[in-house]
Amino acid sequence: MLSASVRIDKWLWAARFFKTRSLATDAVDNGKVRLNGARTKPAHSVKPGDLLVIHNGTTEWEVGVLALAEVRGSADIARTLYAETEPSIARRANDAEQHKLYREPGTTIKGRPTKRDRRALERSSS
């Protein structure tokens, strides 16, 4: 289960930042994951002490790698694989508070808005 280094896409999946390994691979390919401040490839190895910036769609995490895992375990085990930095914790808490206070009108709409959605958007913007 543990080794000297693990592929970054496997580690992101095992640490439960992404639901599937293919989603983790796509995120690394598209530059949504940075290893020590630089873009990387899915096959690149990650080791304890590395700093990752992960943007998984809704939130941005800045984490330090503490341990390695190649297989996905429980959420309790996944939390022991990384430590989130203090600025990242503060930023996510601030974003959550802002989201609670004000929701963007279009965030609940998936794809093209229906007539009903469009009318709701017009009501909220005027």
Side-chain angles (χ1 to χ4, degrees), residues 1-62:
M1 183 171 159
L2 299 175
S3 64
S5 65
V6 176
R7 286 176 55 117
I8 192 167
D9 58 345
K10 272 189 181 182
W11 187 87
L12 290 167
W13 169 71
R16 295 181 169 256
F17 285 104
F18 296 96
K19 253 185 174 178
T20 64
R21 189 162 156 212
S22 61
L23 286 175
T25 303
D26 291 343
V28 175
D29 274 337
N30 294 330
K32 302 217 187 277
V33 177
R34 295 191 170 270
L35 175 65
N36 297 323
R39 283 184 73 156
T40 186
K41 294 184 177 184
H44 197 278
S45 295
V46 66
K47 56 191 177 306
D50 285 343
L51 184 68
L52 295 171
V53 177
I54 306 159
H55 186 74
N56 66 354
T58 56
T59 55
E60 186 172 314
W61 301 71
E62 188 174 313

Side-chain angles (χ1 to χ4, degrees), residues 58-60 89-100:
T58 56
T59 55
E60 186 172 314
I89 292 169
R91 185 175 45 247
R92 284 191 325 106
N94 185 32
D95 290 347
E97 187 65 30
Q98 292 298 323
H99 185 69
K100 229 188 275 185

